[in-house]
Amino acid sequence: MTRVLSGVQPTGNLHLGNYLGAIKNWVAMQEIHDCLYCIVDLHAITVPQNPGHLRNATRETAAAYIACGIDPKKSAIFHQSAVAEHSELAWILSTMTPLGWLNRMTQFKEKAGKHKDNSCLGLYSYPVLMAADILIYKATHVPVGEDQKQHLELARDIAGAFNRQYNQEYFPLPEPLILGDATRVMSLRDGTKKMSKSEESDNSRINLTDSPELIAKKIRKAKSDAEMGLSYDEKNRPEAANLINIYSAITGEKKKSITAKYAESGFAPFKRDLAEIVSEHLAPISSEINKLQADPAYLDSILKDGVEKARAIASANIKEIKDIIGFLTA
Ligand code: AQP
């Protein structure tokens, strides 16, 4: 059996990067795999969160999953903190994770850099909890954006360390699935930085709930370069490459054909068309998110069902894991 696990932090401002890099790719997987889509609230508190905002953002993320096409009848949609086995397994796995492995994680270096004074042990051990999120369900496939590739490799290493220590192939080694034409959507203000929820400038990202007017304004103001005509050159024209990737990921049109269409024109007509394409694509998602958010009781009932499905798997697996380790299961 193949099982998919993935998640997004409920830190607000779900953006085009989260959508194209992750959630959009989850939808088709529901037809082929057993899917669990988690809202990783334990990860969110590795930087300080306002309790009211966290509650709202958790429901907003559930609404976004559904609005993007995740069907709660097919997939479990649930919040991580409600399934205690994630934290329990994270502790167990932390005892087999060498510090040297964690010291190599670039996300910690970037985030500790950004929030140096607030960085905590949880931010450092974040990838161990992420490994537990995956392994507690013995997930075989994990669809993520490019930025999570290193953490996924670590999860495989940790699974291997457990299997070696207990001399059995208990955990499958989870496969990263990095799919689509926009596996790393970059900031609209700086083509060398990834689009991020926590970036201060709202103009750096397109949020799933932005209005068509705001999307048009953000794309019009997106950083470009002085070269005439459009060409795809990630190294020398990162901002243009990012916008072409977004165009391609949404329309399915090949990059070559996009650049050929705008080779003679400047950025302006390309940006105008791109704004229209993005707005049209996001409009139904945005209106569905708003509709769902107006019904928190419905969202809570979806999460409750998801938690039940997830718990049933996690509690059976943690019993086996404890038995393998030698903990008495009274
Ligand atoms: N810019 C991106 N391009 C492609 N994929 C992306 N993802 C995030 N940003 C991009 C993918 O979205 C999923 C969920 O990410 P997350 O919520 O765990 O947070 P993150 O990766 O830390 O994203 P942010 O926006 O940068 O959040 P903050 O600012 O709160 O830390 C993952 O699959 C990720 O790959």
Side-chain angles (χ1 to χ4, degrees):
M1 195 219 8
T2 51
R3 178 170 287 150
V4 162
L5 180 288
S6 199
V8 170
Q9 296 182 65
T11 38
N13 300 325
L14 250 84
H15 54 72
L16 204 57
N18 299 128
Y19 175 65
L20 295 176
I23 308 172
K24 184 170 183 278
N25 303 315
W26 300 354
V27 179
M29 291 181 185
Q30 303 179 104
E31 309 307 326
I32 352 171
H33 307 283
D34 176 30
C35 293
L36 297 137
Y37 295 124
C38 190
I39 299 163
V40 289
D41 49 3
L42 295 174
H43 286 286
I45 61 163
T46 52
V47 292
Q49 301 291 335
N50 169 293
H53 289 170
L54 182 60
R55 251 172 240 125
N56 287 340
T58 302
R59 293 191 181 108
E60 184 193 346
T61 309
Y65 285 6
I66 299 166
C68 291
I70 305 303
D71 179 353
K73 290 198 189 76
K74 292 183 184 153
S75 305
I77 298 175
F78 66 104
H79 49 308
Q80 183 190 26
S81 61
V83 184
E85 287 84 356
H86 288 240
S87 308
E88 223 177 328
L89 182 58
W91 173 258
I92 292 168
L93 298 180
S94 76
T95 65
M96 356 188 140
T97 307
L99 294 184
W101 291 2
L102 290 177
N103 289 339
R104 286 202 299 270
M105 296 299 112
T106 53
Q107 181 173 292
F108 174 73
K109 290 179 195 158
E110 281 161 18
K111 290 207 171 177
K114 256 202 263 178
H115 308 279
K116 223 174 195 121
D117 294 341
N118 295 327
S119 82
C120 56
L121 176 61
L123 191 63
Y124 181 68
S125 59
Y126 181 119
V128 181
L129 178 58
M130 181 166 156
D133 298 336
I134 299 162
L135 299 177
I136 193 64
Y137 301 104
K138 296 204 213 170
T140 52
H141 296 82
V142 185
V144 284
E146 180 75 37
D147 59 313
Q148 292 297 329
K149 193 167 172 234
Q150 195 186 32
H151 287 166
L152 245 298
E153 279 159 7
L154 184 76
R156 289 169 64 88
D157 289 343
I158 295 175
F162 181 96
N163 291 347
R164 273 195 306 283
Q165 181 156 332
Y166 294 104
N167 207 20
Q168 54 183 292
E169 295 303 307
Y170 181 74
F171 290 123
L173 303 189
E175 289 286 338
L177 298 175
I178 298 175
L179 304 168
D181 283 302
T183 55
R184 191 171 173 84
V185 178
M186 309 310 277
S187 157
L188 298 181
R189 310 302 296 160
D190 178 350
T192 62
K193 273 168 65 183
K194 76 163 190 159
M195 188 176 280
S196 164
K197 297 190 217 87
S198 55
E199 170 59 47
E200 226 166 275
S201 163
D202 191 57
N203 286 328
S204 69
R205 65 182 159 260
I206 292 171
N207 303 307
L208 298 187
T209 49
D210 281 348
S211 68
E213 296 73 32
L214 190 54
I215 292 171
K217 187 174 145 228
K218 286 180 177 177
I219 294 183
R220 195 169 60 244
K221 287 184 143 194
K223 191 175 167 198
S224 42
D225 56 51
E227 272 191 52
M228 270 303 292
L230 209 63
S231 62
Y232 190 85
D233 180 347
E234 252 178 55
K235 192 159 172 278
N236 298 308
R237 305 188 71 188
E239 284 82 17
N242 185 38
L243 297 179
I244 296 167
N245 284 339
I246 294 173
Y247 191 119
S248 172
I250 293 184
T251 59
E253 195 173 334
K254 296 262 175 281
K255 287 172 206 158
K256 259 197 181 146
S257 139
I258 300 166
T259 47
K261 228 171 15 188
Y262 299 96
E264 301 301 321
S265 60
F267 268 97
F270 169 66
K271 281 181 165 180
R272 205 173 44 235
D273 292 352
L274 178 62
E276 220 168 276
I277 286 162
V278 174
S279 297
E280 262 177 33
H281 191 84
L282 292 187
I285 294 175
S286 169
S287 87
E288 188 64 15
I289 293 176
N290 290 332
K291 201 174 99 195
L292 289 164
Q293 272 193 289
D295 192 352
Y298 170 72
L299 293 172
D300 289 355
S301 75
I302 295 292
L303 290 170
K304 188 166 172 276
D305 285 353
V307 165
E308 267 170 33
K309 283 188 214 163
R311 249 190 220 147
I313 306 168
S315 66
N317 288 347
I318 201 82
K319 276 199 194 93
E320 291 177 357
I321 293 163
K322 285 179 170 176
D323 189 44
I324 290 171
I325 293 173
F327 291 152
L328 292 177
T329 46

